[in-house]
Amino acid sequence: CSDKNCKNCPASLDTCESCSDGYLLSSGKCVACSDKGCAQCAASGASQCSSCLPHFFLTGKTCGECADKNCVKCSGAGADACQECDGGFYASGGACVACGDPGCNDCGGLPGTGKCSECKSGYYLDDNTKNTCKYCGPGKFSPLGATSDSECKGEFLFERIMFLYIL
């Protein structure tokens, strides 16, 4: 596809059939939605949204920004409107609260307990407690959700994976 915002153009490199989030298909071209938080423009035009990107909410035909910067999904502009939070946080009373463990990616199943159910990359769930995250150590990496220290690998392996991923 000649248009970087086009997701599908099988018939011709210049004619698009579907666009990336934040763009509207118009006469085979991708036109940017005018609202910065818009995931999909309404069929009626680029100035109207039908759905919003994470961290935004739909109000009428525009997208408003969630009040809490860690909020992924909110029902409105209020500080107590959050329904879903970024990794490392959980929703409580409509606000995002830190899990309490710096290596924790998800404490959703155990909010408010100081326990973690999934660790960030570079951490693993402690073999003994299974609810706290331990740091792999300098130069070592682990995948998101690692469940033991045996998943912590050295820098060489990480660089090799990144090299393969880039290819």
Side-chain angles (χ1 to χ4, degrees):
C1 298
S2 60
D3 184 342
K4 67 178 180 174
N5 300 305
C6 182
K7 289 185 353 186
N8 188 18
C9 55
S12 161
L13 290 179
D14 294 327
T15 304
C16 189
E17 291 184 355
S18 65
C19 299
S20 300
D21 283 350
Y23 291 84
L24 171 69
L25 183 63
S26 177
S27 301
K29 303 284 180 201
C30 294
V31 179
C33 300
S34 57
D35 191 323
K36 76 172 185 168
C38 196
Q40 286 188 316
C41 305
S44 54
S47 64
Q48 298 183 352
C49 295
S50 58
S51 67
C52 301
L53 294 168
H55 303 281
F56 292 87
F57 64 95
L58 190 62
T59 175
K61 294 286 182 181
T62 62
C63 294
E65 197 162 358
C66 298
D68 190 320
K69 67 180 175 128
N70 297 305
C71 185
V72 175
K73 181 181 176 186
C74 61
S75 59
D80 61 348
C82 192
Q83 299 166 327
E84 187 179 323
C85 303
D86 282 323
F89 294 85
Y90 65 94
S92 177
C96 292
V97 179
C99 289
D101 184 333
C104 189
N105 187 60
D106 186 6
C107 59
L110 309 161
T113 63
K115 296 180 178 181
C116 191
S117 54
E118 179 183 69
C119 298
K120 295 177 182 176
S121 179
Y123 292 81
Y124 64 94
L125 277 176
D126 185 307
D127 292 331
N128 297 320
T129 66
K130 294 292 185 200
N131 292 121
T132 56
C133 296
K134 297 279 187 172
Y135 179 55
C136 285
K140 292 192 173 189
F141 302 90
S142 67
L144 177 71
T147 56
S148 76
D149 62 347
S150 65
E151 292 183 68
C152 294
K153 304 295 179 190
E155 195 168 340
F156 173 76
L157 179 61
F158 179 76
E159 288 173 359
R160 193 133 201 198
I161 290 170
M162 289 307 292
F163 175 76
L164 291 172
Y165 177 74
I166 292 170
L167 289 177

